[in-house]
């Protein structure tokens, strides 16, 4: 593997920061410290910034990351000359996050504790209601096609209806009703954290989990599967007061990478999975295909390399897009279309249909260079410190445990998808409902 001296220095610095965080959590006498949010970010960066691109460099001469080309060639462009910029961005961003996390000290007023007085059965009921709300809103858009969506392996039937009921909701708010299916994630987690304590209503929990997985596979969005099952595993470990074992985590990550590869190869252009698409590939090829996600890092490096010498800064465009994103376009025809995001990718790959993404710090860089990478990363560090301090105040309560671990897992979306407007909307439909329930059931 050929790495230049600057690349080795940057990679050593990034690995050193990650190792430092791991050392602090392991050295701590409190087993809770292994769940700190900075480690969740370290895991995401480890996959996208270290494992993915380094594997691509090592695999020159074969089908690296399963993008049909060799080594660091991605979408017809060899990214090797500017991978260093992706590593520099990761180092500056993660270092700034850690500075914000450790420097910021929440005020006593912020730490004033809210107490949940509701019984376990009441908390479960709220989680169940959240699941029903999400399912009903989703059904109002999809009609009786919902029955077919329960079988993700028959995508050819998704456009059909059983009784001719194609849905009641269309127009400007249709997307919100469609996204309401994400309510099932916090709803199921709330039921699960209660079940860990009273071991009741297991059948209901299993049925809702199977329903959610079936629909999420039909929609072919893998992040939903991750946001559902990672917190469930961590909730079980947390309830048992166990630190996640390194060996178990490695085995789980390998299994997840394999499943991720199967879904990536078999999903159709619109919805559903066609497993026949994987028949011509070996198990190793299926596993390796999951590393196509490393293309996110390649695009990140290319964006930083191109701006501002070849393409201009976006300045306030990402902020304007984020603020206006919740407003339906039918009500706000002048709503920005986030051209800053699509235009930079089209410029890099000389293609108007480049559906690739980039990491969060690439969007921070697009605003106004390294200054905004530092600024936004500092703010992210402060936010997760507030989240961590809030959790430590409520670590023994079932509802806050579910809320925190869902927040921490959602950092995967925050880091891996550098489109703040979309991240904010997904947060509103995936994590925020659980916190609203907490506010409804608690008092100061």
């Amino acid at each position: 593997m050929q790495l230049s001296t600057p690349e080795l220095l940057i990679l050593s610095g990034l690995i050193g920061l990650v190792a430092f965080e791991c050392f602090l959590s392991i050295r701590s006498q409190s087993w809770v410290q292994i769940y700190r949010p900075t480690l969740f970010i370290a895991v995401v960066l480890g996959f996208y910034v270290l494992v993915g691109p380094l594997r691509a460099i090592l695999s020159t001469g074969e089908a690296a990351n399963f993008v049909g080309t060799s080594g660091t060639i991605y979408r017809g462009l060899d990214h090797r000359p500017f991978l260093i910029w992706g590593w520099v961005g990761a180092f500056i961003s993660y270092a700034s996050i850690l500075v914000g996390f450790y420097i910021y000290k929440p005020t006593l007023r912020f730490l004033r504790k809210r107490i949940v007085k509701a019984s376990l059965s009441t908390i479960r009921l709220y989680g169940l209601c959240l699941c029903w709300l999400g399912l009903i809103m989703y059904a109002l858009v999809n009609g009786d096609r919902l029955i077919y969506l329960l079988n993700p392996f028959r995508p050819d039937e998704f456009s059909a209806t059983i009784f001719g009921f194609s849905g009641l909701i269309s127009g400007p708010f249709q997307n919100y009703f469609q996204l309401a299916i994400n309510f099932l994630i916090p709803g199921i987690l709330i039921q699960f954290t209660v079940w860990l304590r009273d071991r009741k209503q297991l059948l209901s929990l299993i049925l809702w989990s199977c329903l959610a997985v079936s629909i999420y596979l039909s929609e072919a969005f893998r992040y939903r599967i991750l946001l559902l099952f990672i917190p469930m595993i961590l909730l079980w470990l947390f309830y048992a007061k166990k630190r996640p074992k390194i060996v178990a985590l490695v085995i789980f990550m390998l299994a997840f990478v394999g499943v991720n590869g199967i879904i990536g190869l078999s999903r159709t252009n619109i919805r559903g999975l066609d497993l026949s698409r994987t028949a011509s590939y070996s198990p190793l090829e299926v596993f390796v295909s999951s590393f196509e996600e490393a293309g996110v890092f390649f695009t990140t490096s290319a964006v930083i390399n191109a701006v501002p010498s070849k393409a201009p800064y976006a300045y306030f465009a990402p902020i304007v897009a984020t603020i206006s994103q919740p407003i339906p376009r039918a009500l706000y025809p002048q709503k920005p279309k986030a051209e800053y995001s699509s235009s930079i990718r089209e410029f890099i790959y000389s293609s108007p249909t480049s559906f690739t993404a980039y990491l969060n710090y690439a969007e921070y860089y697009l605003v106004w260079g390294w200054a905004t990478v530092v600024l936004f990363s500092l703010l992210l560090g402060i936010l997760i410190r507030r989240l961590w301090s809030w959790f430590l105040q409520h670590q023994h309560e079932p509802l806050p445990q579910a809320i925190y671990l869902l927040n921490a897992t959602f950092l995967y979306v925050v880091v891996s998808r550098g489109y703040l407007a979309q991240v904010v909307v997904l947060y509103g439909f995936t994590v925020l409902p659980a916190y609203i329930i907490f506010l409804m059931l608690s008092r100061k």
Side-chain angles (χ1 to χ4, degrees):
M1 178 172 56
Q2 297 294 327
L3 290 174
S4 66
T5 300
E7 288 175 335
L8 286 172
L9 290 175
I10 293 297
L11 283 171
S12 298
L14 181 59
I15 294 172
L17 290 177
V18 173
F20 175 73
E21 274 299 284
C22 293
F23 172 75
L24 288 181
S25 62
I26 294 173
R27 186 170 177 266
S28 174
Q29 295 181 353
S30 173
W31 60 272
V32 178
Q33 293 297 318
I34 197 67
Y35 295 91
R36 67 172 68 190
T38 50
L39 290 178
F40 283 79
I41 295 177
V43 170
V44 177
L45 290 177
F47 177 79
Y48 283 97
V49 177
L50 298 176
V51 177
L54 291 178
R55 185 205 166 274
I57 294 173
L58 282 169
S59 62
T60 300
E62 60 179 271
N65 303 316
F66 218 71
V67 293
T69 53
S70 174
T72 54
I73 298 176
Y74 178 68
R75 296 188 179 272
L77 177 66
D78 189 357
H79 292 67
R80 186 65 187 91
F82 24 87
L83 288 185
I84 186 173
W85 294 116
W87 287 321
V88 169
F91 175 78
I92 293 176
S93 179
Y94 191 56
S96 301
I97 288 171
L98 293 181
V99 170
F101 183 81
Y102 287 109
I103 294 297
Y104 175 74
K105 303 296 182 184
T107 63
L108 292 176
R109 181 176 180 274
F110 168 76
L111 292 176
R112 187 167 53 183
K113 189 175 180 180
R114 298 182 68 94
I115 301 174
V116 176
K117 288 293 188 179
S119 64
L120 291 177
S121 59
T122 300
I123 296 174
R124 176 191 288 112
L125 178 61
Y126 272 78
L128 187 62
C129 290
L130 191 57
C131 286
W132 277 111
L133 176 62
L135 184 62
I136 291 171
M137 292 178 67
Y138 184 76
L140 288 174
V141 173
N142 293 277
D144 55 24
R145 287 194 299 265
L146 178 61
I147 303 299
Y148 291 117
L149 290 171
L150 297 180
N151 183 2
F153 305 107
R154 296 296 300 272
D156 54 305
E157 298 178 343
F158 288 174
S159 59
T161 62
I162 300 177
F163 305 108
F165 175 55
S166 58
L168 295 176
I169 302 298
S170 60
F173 294 99
Q174 177 177 342
N175 188 49
Y176 290 146
F177 279 75
Q178 186 81 7
L179 282 173
I181 198 64
N182 282 23
F183 288 175
L184 269 64
I185 295 174
I188 291 172
L189 291 178
I190 290 172
Q191 295 180 68
F192 181 71
T193 193
V194 172
W195 175 83
L196 286 172
R197 287 156 176 80
D198 65 7
R199 304 298 167 124
K200 297 178 181 178
Q201 303 294 330
L202 177 59
L203 180 60
S204 173
L205 177 62
I206 293 174
L207 290 176
W208 277 110
S209 300
C210 292
L211 177 71
V213 170
S214 298
I215 294 176
Y216 293 162
L217 287 176
S218 295
E219 293 285 1
F221 285 106
R222 291 167 285 186
Y223 81 91
R224 288 168 170 160
I225 305 294
L226 184 143
L227 292 180
L228 177 61
F229 284 106
I230 294 296
M232 289 182 76
I233 294 172
L234 294 177
L235 276 170
W236 180 80
L237 291 172
F238 195 90
Y239 177 74
K241 294 182 174 59
K242 294 182 178 180
R243 295 173 182 258
K245 301 295 184 182
I246 299 298
V247 174
L249 285 177
V250 170
I251 293 174
F252 176 80
M253 285 302 297
L254 292 175
F256 178 77
V257 168
V259 173
N260 191 43
I262 294 173
I263 296 175
L265 286 176
S266 60
R267 65 179 178 179
T268 61
N269 292 332
I270 303 176
R271 286 175 166 181
L273 304 176
D274 183 3
L275 293 180
S276 64
R277 295 187 175 199
T278 64
S280 59
Y281 302 113
S282 68
L284 179 60
E285 288 175 322
V286 172
F287 179 82
V288 170
S289 69
S290 182
F291 287 95
E292 187 172 354
E293 279 284 302
V296 176
F297 177 78
F298 291 168
T299 304
T300 299
S301 304
V303 168
I304 297 176
N305 176 73
V307 177
S309 59
K310 301 175 184 177
Y313 289 125
Y315 296 111
F316 292 104
I319 299 173
V320 173
T322 302
I323 295 173
S324 60
Q325 180 70 13
I327 307 174
R329 190 170 299 280
L331 304 180
Y332 181 25
Q334 292 77 32
K335 178 180 174 179
K337 296 182 179 180
E339 291 90 349
Y340 74 92
S341 180
S342 57
S343 62
I344 185 65
R345 289 174 291 169
E346 292 171 8
F347 171 78
I348 292 170
Y349 298 113
S350 302
S351 171
T353 57
S354 181
F355 298 110
T356 184
Y358 43 68
L359 297 170
N360 63 331
Y361 58 85
E363 184 172 53
Y364 304 161
Y365 181 85
L366 267 174
V367 176
W368 196 30
W370 297 118
T372 44
V373 172
V374 173
L375 175 61
F376 282 102
S377 298
L378 280 171
L379 291 175
L380 179 58
I382 291 171
L383 286 175
I384 62 174
R385 177 55 186 265
R386 288 175 67 91
L387 172 67
W388 180 241
S389 298
W390 173 83
F391 170 66
L392 292 178
Q393 293 288 312
H394 300 273
Q395 60 179 291
H396 303 295
E397 303 171 40
L399 184 54
Q401 287 177 8
I403 294 171
Y404 169 73
L405 291 173
L406 180 55
N407 268 287
T409 308
F410 190 82
L411 288 171
Y412 160 76
V413 178
V414 174
V415 175
S416 67
R417 292 298 179 264
Y419 183 35
L420 185 60
Q422 181 187 51
V423 169
V424 170
V425 170
L426 291 179
Y427 187 88
F429 282 90
T430 309
V431 183
L432 188 60
Y435 188 69
I436 292 175
I437 290 177
F438 170 78
L439 293 178
M440 294 171 63
L441 295 178
S442 65
R443 63 179 178 83
K444 291 184 179 180

